[in-house]
Amino acid sequence: MVEFQDVSVTYNSSGVDALNKVNLKINDGDFAFVVGPSGAGKSTLIKLVLKEIDATSGTVLVNGFNLKKLRRSKVPALRRTIGVVFQDFRLIPTMTVYENVAFVLRVIDAPAKYIRSRVPYVISLVGLSDKAKCYPTELSGGEQQRVALARALVNDPQLIIADEPTGNIDPALSYEIVELLKGINECGTTILMVTHEHDLVRYFGGRIININKGSIDFDEVVGGAHDEN
Amino acid sequence: MKISSFRYLVSQGITGIWKNRMMTFASFCILLVSLLMVGLASLTAINLTRIISGIEDKSEVVVVISDNADKAAEAELEEHLKAIPNVNSIELYSKEEAWNGMLDSMTEEERAFFKYADENPLPDTYRLTVKDIELMSETTAQIETLDFVESTQSPTTFADVLISIRRIFTILATAVVAALVVVSLVIISNTTRASVFARRKEINIMKYVGATNAFIRIPFFVEGMIVGLIAALGALLMTKFAYEGVYNIFSDDSVIWVVMGMKKLYSFNELLFPVSVSYLAAGAVIGAVGTSISTGKHLKV
Ligand SMILES: Nc1ncnc2c1ncn2[C@@H]1O[C@H](COP(=O)(O)OP(=O)(O)OP(=O)(O)O)[C@@H](O)[C@H]1O
Ligand SMILES: [Mg+2]
């Protein structure tokens, strides 16, 4: 669960008010699209959830953690409850697909036996079983993003956040990525996805949060074209 | 942390050496050259110190014993001399020995002339060496107050020269070695910082998936330590060749050393243990600590 209470963010370096008294609640099991023009504050919202930055004022609650009170040393514990997918994939270039995914489980000290069975399973979910031994540079953008997805869901997080996960890949493949996210969501994981692609949002529908100049000016559930068929 | 996780992190450190071979190689070279510079400079200093102290050992104080001293008095004097803290070694040089020594150094004619001298005109003497040459005049003064001491002869002027040489040398050697250490540390820290900087994205990603700082640091630590150890081994081999090359040149003319009254240079084998330990320890510590300190800066995400 993610909850924002009167959250404002001002970047010291630029003096920009990126978010302005934002109130937002995303319940467990929700699937929400975050849309809005460039510079509206979407990535800032994501950074807050990951505690990459702190709110200038207001309260951010994520998966039972109050981020204002969370000590530095507890940040890893928070991040282990969240899967993240970025526009630029962010895979570790010196590790194979398998190792990139397995790394998340090694971080949480998972038993070697569990890693050996869980990682191939998750890689097969994103359809990359035959590429498990490849390095990220040997994969297409769409494939890399699917590895990133596998990594995000391998430790079964409560929440997956995705900042423009389809931004760097072929539009046709974007649907595939969102389909995957929808599938994960149906198993109970909360999904928060930032996107610029209105076609995608129109097609899938669901909860749509529009941010404009640091404020939420639209937050409703909209039926998708996909559902009408 | 589980054993399997620890083993994983160590193996990550080891494979990291090859995966990041360009930067690893750079760190390796820098460490090797630094160890070599500091090592050779230190070895030179150690040997020069030994040569100087060899000369110092040769500078004896001669204590002339009074004619009226009998055997018992001489023994008592010896005890008193031995009790002086700065006295290192003491040796009796009897008048007979002195006389024979003098005859030996004479030409045939001179000897013929002196052979018939009815009485040996030379006195018994003690030859003693001091521990600290800087205290030589004080020690001499102290000896002169003892009973049955006729007079003393000591190379105080020579001692003064030696003392100033030694002082200047110590300052110079310390300065050179210290400068080399500082230069090395600056270069090494820049290199490791660059090598870690090249991997900051990787570190960043690890942080996003919830890795703790220790988890990220251990592989870097292991990697730095191994590179440091390998560089130390390389530097050790090169030091051995360089050192033995120089050593052979000087020890060829071993006569010179004896004539000049100097101790010989240390052989490499005499120094092998301390040199190996210092190289390996310095390499491992600098490699490991340097790398993990540089990692720290990128962990704050
Ligand atoms: N690290 C930063 N330092 C200073 N200002 C920043 C920083 N990051 C973002 N900003 C500013 O904050 C505002 C919001 O940025 P943010 O990245 O949240 O926008 P966004 O909605 O994600 O845009 P886009 O769709 O282009 O990714 C922008 O005006 C931006 O210039
Ligand atoms: Mg953005």
Side-chain angles (χ1 to χ4, degrees):
Chain A
M1 191 206 53
V2 179
E3 191 168 352
F4 280 49
Q5 295 165 355
D6 287 329
V7 173
S8 299
V9 172
T10 305
Y11 285 107
N12 284 329
S13 54
S14 58
V16 173
D17 293 321
L19 289 179
N20 233 321
K21 288 202 175 296
V22 168
N23 284 287
L24 176 68
K25 187 167 181 186
I26 293 163
N27 292 308
D28 288 340
D30 275 6
F31 189 115
F33 283 116
V34 178
V35 296
S38 183
K42 306 182 295 295
S43 296
T44 303
L45 195 110
I46 299 287
K47 286 187 214 163
L48 280 172
V49 174
L50 287 168
K51 198 170 162 75
E52 192 182 329
I53 57 170
D54 284 315
T56 314
S57 66
T59 307
V60 181
L61 303 167
V62 177
N63 296 338
F65 293 93
N66 183 340
L67 301 201
K68 191 158 58 184
K69 292 183 186 147
L70 194 66
R71 281 190 288 125
R72 280 272 129 208
S73 59
K74 292 280 176 273
V75 171
L78 162 75
R79 290 184 181 166
R80 288 169 193 187
T81 66
I82 307 170
V84 212
V85 180
F86 294 100
Q87 180 172 0
D88 55 357
F89 324 132
R90 302 204 192 168
L91 301 174
I92 296 174
T94 53
M95 290 183 183
T96 61
V97 167
Y98 181 94
E99 276 306 324
N100 263 285
V101 177
F103 185 79
V104 180
L105 295 179
R106 301 199 196 279
V107 159
I108 59 170
D109 231 354
K113 213 167 139 191
Y114 177 70
I115 295 177
R116 274 198 298 276
S117 65
R118 175 73 179 167
V119 175
Y121 169 69
V122 176
I123 292 176
S124 76
L125 283 185
V126 298
L128 285 175
S129 295
D130 52 338
K131 305 262 180 181
K133 288 200 174 68
C134 294
Y135 285 91
T137 47
E138 298 164 350
L139 302 179
S140 73
E143 286 167 336
Q144 288 187 54
Q145 198 56 301
R146 282 189 281 157
V147 178
L149 257 181
R151 181 181 64 189
L153 61 94
V154 70
N155 65 342
D156 204 10
Q158 289 166 259
L159 167 71
I160 290 182
I161 52 181
D163 193 354
E164 300 192 40
T166 58
N168 275 3
I169 57 180
D170 195 304
L173 293 174
S174 303
Y175 290 86
E176 207 177 286
I177 296 289
V178 183
E179 289 287 2
L180 276 169
L181 284 170
K182 281 276 183 190
I184 297 162
N185 175 243
E186 269 152 31
C187 301
T189 307
T190 313
I191 311 266
L192 190 59
M193 171 173 161
V194 173
T195 185
H196 266 137
E197 292 173 70
H198 292 281
D199 289 349
L200 216 56
V201 177
R202 259 195 298 276
Y203 179 79
F204 287 99
R207 182 170 173 191
I208 297 168
I209 301 163
N210 190 67
I211 302 189
N212 203 350
K213 294 187 186 127
S215 303
I216 294 176
D217 62 2
F218 179 91
D219 182 358
E220 271 169 49
V221 178
V222 174
H226 164 74
D227 298 328
E228 286 158 18
N229 300 334
Chain B
M1 189 181 287
K2 286 201 182 66
I3 305 269
S4 66
S5 301
F6 188 73
R7 211 185 305 136
Y8 167 77
L9 292 178
V10 171
S11 77
Q12 280 301 103
I14 295 169
T15 51
I17 294 171
W18 178 246
K19 283 180 176 165
N20 305 287
R21 49 192 170 276
M22 286 305 286
M23 289 318 284
T24 307
F25 185 67
S27 312
F28 166 82
C29 292
I30 297 290
L31 263 172
L32 183 126
V33 171
S34 305
L35 283 171
L36 207 56
M37 283 193 314
V38 175
L40 289 178
S42 308
L43 287 176
T44 310
I46 289 172
N47 274 297
L48 287 177
T49 308
R50 174 163 160 137
I51 289 170
I52 293 175
S53 82
I55 299 174
E56 288 179 5
D57 288 350
K58 286 285 167 191
S59 44
E60 294 176 321
V61 176
V62 177
V63 179
V64 180
I65 304 165
S66 316
D67 274 343
N68 56 10
D70 57 11
K71 285 278 167 241
E74 274 186 16
E76 193 188 331
L77 176 59
E78 184 170 345
E79 287 312 309
H80 281 124
L81 289 171
K82 276 182 182 162
I84 296 172
N86 195 33
V87 169
N88 187 31
S89 69
I90 172 163
E91 208 180 325
L92 178 69
Y93 197 57
S94 68
K95 53 178 144 196
E96 291 77 24
E97 280 175 275
W99 180 245
N100 290 335
M102 203 174 88
L103 287 181
D104 278 353
S105 66
M106 286 173 175
T107 62
E108 202 60 45
E109 296 85 53
E110 287 170 332
R111 212 177 299 152
F113 179 74
F114 273 105
K115 213 158 45 187
Y116 304 104
D118 48 356
E119 202 181 332
N120 178 354
L122 297 174
D124 281 345
T125 55
Y126 277 119
R127 307 262 162 125
L128 47 90
T129 60
V130 293
K131 284 179 187 146
D132 186 352
I133 195 170
E134 286 190 41
L135 300 175
M136 190 182 256
S137 359
E138 288 148 54
T139 308
T140 314
Q142 199 179 344
I143 290 170
E144 277 170 353
T145 64
L146 296 173
D147 289 338
F148 303 110
V149 172
E150 180 74 39
S151 66
T152 61
Q153 295 156 20
S154 60
T156 32
T157 333
F158 182 60
D160 288 343
V161 173
L162 271 184
I163 290 164
S164 32
I165 289 179
R166 190 173 70 183
R167 279 200 186 133
I168 292 169
F169 173 74
T170 309
I171 293 169
L172 265 178
T174 314
V176 168
V177 171
L180 287 177
V181 168
V182 170
V183 168
S184 305
L185 286 181
V186 169
I187 299 174
I188 290 166
S189 82
N190 277 323
T191 317
T192 52
R193 211 177 298 157
S195 106
V196 170
F197 184 76
R199 289 156 76 182
R200 70 193 181 287
K201 272 195 182 145
E202 188 178 322
I203 296 175
N204 232 296
I205 296 167
M206 292 176 176
K207 288 291 284 190
Y208 276 121
V209 301
T212 56
N213 292 349
F215 197 89
I216 296 172
R217 260 194 179 129
I218 291 172
F220 279 97
F221 190 90
V222 171
E223 193 181 315
M225 192 166 78
I226 292 175
V227 171
L229 285 174
I230 296 174
L233 279 179
L236 192 61
L237 270 181
M238 291 169 83
T239 306
K240 181 181 156 74
F241 286 124
Y243 191 93
E244 285 181 343
V246 174
Y247 180 80
N248 288 337
I249 293 173
F250 283 107
S251 58
D252 264 359
D253 289 314
S254 43
V255 190
I256 291 183
W257 299 100
V258 179
V259 169
M260 289 169 74
M262 291 177 184
K263 281 186 192 163
K264 287 210 319 196
L265 301 181
Y266 288 101
S267 76
F268 192 71
N269 283 341
E270 281 177 85
L271 296 171
L272 185 61
F273 183 72
V275 170
S276 314
V277 170
S278 332
Y279 271 39
L280 291 175
V285 169
I286 295 173
V289 174
T291 318
S292 30
I293 289 177
S294 317
T295 318
K297 217 172 57 181
H298 302 291
L299 290 173
K300 298 188 188 83
V301 260

